[in-house]
């Protein structure tokens, strides 16, 4: 018995040592696993948790669709040679579906909607557009509702019916020489694009809509001096774009336009800007500023990513929601702010002399 007890005692001691060592190893392993898992989940420490929440908030803020450009139609009655949103389809969403998408955008933080094309007044003689403008201002109560148009199809009766709901109307005009507009394709037949521009300017003043002008600077107008005409028209903003190539739209084998002959260098664009430096409402947009600083929705309500020099569509916000679709927009918020994308865009705040 005594011998047996003496033999058993070292064995028990060895088992106890092994058990203790096992507990120590398990404890260390558990701690390592806890901290590793915590690092993945952002819960490693209160400090890391705060940092993680800040990063998530930054991402969330960057993905807020504050200002959205909805190109609900691609069809146009003009044939501008550099057009970078061409008539590749004739599709237009049903009105109620378009309204549903706009409501989703408002719920995600949209403050400004800009309707564009193609030519937005072409579809249903402007009635479709008018109903969307009214919906955005009355139902969604957006601070800013704007339109970009070539102006050729706008009638005074449209202003009478929908003008009160519209904050800004931008008319595209690339030259104050009729022959140059004809060369560019900014025309329909022999109608005067410039006469129409002045007429719309007077309607905007009469019906209390802020008037804006957009110009694309290219090989045909780069040497022109537009200072006098712009000063006379006195728009709230004069957006001056450098002609931009987009693969599949105005460049490449599948494109409907060949814009290479319209493209100008950065130096020529800067010379144009310098010539017009006295025009206080001028807002310049080079290729660098323009390419990724717009949230663009196409006719299917898909965000278009232009980072690779083409328009790669996301899934439609009508199918997957705004938060998922916007992740594939390629939107650069810093460049959006740098180019002056955020400004006083509600006519109620502009203090204009009507």
């Amino acid at each position: 018995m005594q011998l047996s007890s003496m033999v058993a005692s070292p064995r028990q001691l060895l088992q106890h040592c092994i058990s203790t060592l096992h507990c120590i190893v398990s404890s260390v392993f558990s701690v390592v696993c806890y901290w590793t898992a915590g690092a993945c989940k952002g819960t490693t420490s209160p400090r890391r948790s705060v940092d993680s929440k800040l990063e998530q908030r930054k991402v969330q803020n960057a993905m807020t669709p504050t200002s959205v450009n909805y190109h609900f139609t691609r069809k146009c009655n003009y044939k501008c040679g550099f057009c970078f949103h061409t008539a590749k389809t004739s599709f237009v969403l049903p009105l109620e579906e378009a309204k549903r998408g706009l409501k989703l955008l408002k719920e995600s933080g949209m403050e400004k909607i800009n309707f564009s094309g193609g030519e937005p007044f072409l579809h249903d003689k402007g009635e479709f557009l008018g109903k969307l403008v009214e919906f955005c201002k009355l139902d969604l109560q957006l601070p800013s509702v704007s339109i970009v148009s070539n102006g050729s199809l706008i009638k005074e009766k449209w202003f009478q019916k929908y003008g009160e709901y519209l904050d800004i109307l931008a008319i595209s005009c690339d030259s104050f020489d009729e022959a140059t507009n004809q060369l560019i394709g900014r025309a329909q037949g022999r109608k005067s694009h410039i006469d129409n521009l002045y007429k719309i300017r007077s309607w905007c003043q009469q019906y209390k809509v802020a008037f804006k002008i957009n110009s694309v600077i290219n090989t045909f107008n780069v040497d022109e001096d537009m200072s006098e005409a712009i000063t006379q028209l006195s728009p709230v903003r004069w957006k001056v774009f450098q002609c931009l190539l987009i693969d599949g739209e105005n460049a490449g084998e599948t494109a409907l336009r060949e814009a290479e002959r319209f493209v100008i260098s950065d130096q020529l664009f800067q010379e144009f800007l310098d010539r017009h430096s006295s025009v206080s409402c001028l807002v310049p947009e080079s290729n660098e500023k323009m390419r990724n600083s717009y949230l663009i929705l196409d006719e299917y309500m898909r965000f278009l990513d232009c980072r690779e020099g083409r328009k790669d569509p996301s899934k439609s916000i009508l199918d997957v929601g705004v938060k998922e679709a916007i992740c594939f927009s390629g939107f650069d918020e810093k460049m959006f702010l740098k180019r002056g994308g955020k400004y006083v865009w509600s006519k109620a705040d502009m203090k204009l002399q009507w």
Side-chain angles (χ1 to χ4, degrees):
M1 291 290 298
Q2 199 170 10
L3 181 61
S4 174
S5 176
M6 288 176 65
V7 172
S9 185
R11 186 180 297 166
Q12 288 174 354
L13 183 61
L14 180 62
Q15 288 177 342
H16 177 72
C17 289
I18 292 172
S19 177
T20 302
L21 183 62
H22 177 75
C23 288
I24 293 171
V25 171
S26 297
S27 297
V28 171
F29 183 75
S30 297
V31 169
V32 170
C33 288
Y34 172 78
W35 285 107
T36 303
C40 295
K41 294 178 182 178
T43 56
T44 56
S45 69
R47 176 64 186 170
R48 291 186 182 182
S49 178
V50 170
D51 289 343
S52 178
K53 287 179 181 178
L54 285 173
E55 287 301 316
Q56 289 174 4
R57 195 172 298 161
K58 285 179 183 177
V59 171
Q60 186 178 16
N61 290 339
M63 290 292 119
T64 299
T66 308
S67 177
V68 178
N69 297 271
Y70 177 26
H71 295 251
F72 67 84
T73 178
R74 283 178 171 266
K75 295 181 71 176
C76 187
N77 60 322
Y78 276 18
K79 295 181 180 178
C80 301
F82 48 68
C83 180
F84 45 79
H85 201 75
T86 55
K88 305 191 81 171
T89 77
S90 58
F91 180 81
V92 176
L93 275 172
L95 182 63
E96 293 307 313
E97 281 294 274
K99 285 182 177 180
R100 181 167 72 88
L102 291 167
K103 187 172 184 291
L104 290 173
L105 288 163
K106 168 65 189 304
E107 291 169 350
S108 296
M110 181 175 68
E111 298 176 19
K112 180 180 185 293
I113 183 70
N114 179 52
F115 295 105
S116 190
E119 172 47 48
F121 281 89
L122 184 60
H123 184 67
D124 196 22
K125 298 180 179 179
E127 279 299 302
F128 182 88
L129 173 62
K131 289 171 183 174
L132 290 182
V133 166
E134 183 179 13
F135 173 75
C136 286
K137 184 57 73 171
L138 283 186
D139 295 69
L140 300 184
Q141 297 191 346
L142 291 180
S144 184
V145 181
S146 68
I147 298 170
V148 175
S149 167
N150 62 37
S152 64
L153 302 174
I154 304 175
K155 307 296 181 184
E156 186 176 5
K157 63 181 181 181
W158 192 94
F159 280 95
Q160 293 169 346
K161 190 173 182 180
Y162 299 112
E164 63 181 298
Y165 311 118
L166 183 64
D167 289 274
I168 304 168
L169 175 60
I171 301 298
S172 298
C173 182
D174 308 311
S175 175
F176 290 92
D177 179 84
E178 292 289 8
T180 302
N181 282 323
Q182 289 284 341
L183 284 170
I184 289 170
R186 182 77 75 187
Q188 184 180 27
R190 305 309 300 179
K191 295 178 182 178
S192 172
H193 184 76
I194 298 165
D195 288 349
N196 208 44
L197 181 70
Y198 278 88
K199 182 173 63 177
I200 292 171
R201 173 67 179 92
S202 66
W203 285 341
C204 284
Q205 190 165 15
Q206 183 179 348
Y207 295 98
K208 300 183 178 180
V209 175
F211 178 69
K212 179 181 167 186
I213 296 175
N214 288 354
S215 300
V216 178
I217 309 309
N218 58 84
T219 52
F220 293 97
N221 64 3
V222 69
D223 295 321
E224 189 173 335
D225 191 337
M226 307 182 192
S227 302
E228 185 178 347
I230 295 295
T231 302
Q232 186 178 11
L233 285 160
S234 187
V236 294
R237 280 162 73 85
W238 178 33
K239 293 285 284 292
V240 175
F241 302 97
Q242 182 183 4
C243 184
L244 177 67
L245 292 180
I246 297 289
D247 188 54
E249 297 284 353
N250 61 13
E253 293 181 0
T254 62
L256 297 181
R257 296 285 189 277
E258 295 179 1
E260 286 85 353
R261 66 194 181 100
F262 291 89
V263 174
I264 59 171
S265 65
D266 294 345
Q267 181 180 344
L268 285 175
F269 182 64
Q270 186 59 52
E271 288 175 5
F272 181 91
L273 297 178
D274 293 341
R275 193 182 315 125
H276 295 84
S277 59
S278 62
V279 181
S280 59
C281 61
L282 187 154
V283 180
E285 292 203 11
S286 63
N287 288 173
E288 179 192 5
K289 286 184 179 179
M290 189 172 21
R291 192 181 300 276
N292 306 320
S293 64
Y294 284 86
L295 273 176
I296 302 174
L297 277 182
D298 72 0
E299 64 273 24
Y300 302 99
M301 284 199 158
R302 304 177 300 184
F303 286 110
L304 298 178
D305 183 351
C306 301
R307 283 177 295 182
E308 300 300 322
R310 57 181 184 270
K311 291 181 176 178
D312 297 321
S314 69
K315 292 181 179 179
S316 174
I317 65 171
L318 298 170
D319 296 328
V320 300
V322 176
K323 285 187 177 181
E324 180 175 337
I326 203 172
C327 292
F328 300 92
S329 65
F331 180 58
D332 185 343
E333 187 187 34
K334 288 183 179 178
M335 189 59 75
F336 166 74
L337 296 171
K338 184 178 179 180
R339 70 168 173 82
K342 180 78 172 177
Y343 59 97
V344 180
W345 52 34
S346 173
K347 65 182 180 183
D349 301 327
M350 289 182 187
K351 299 177 182 178
L352 297 174
Q353 297 295 322
W354 302 114

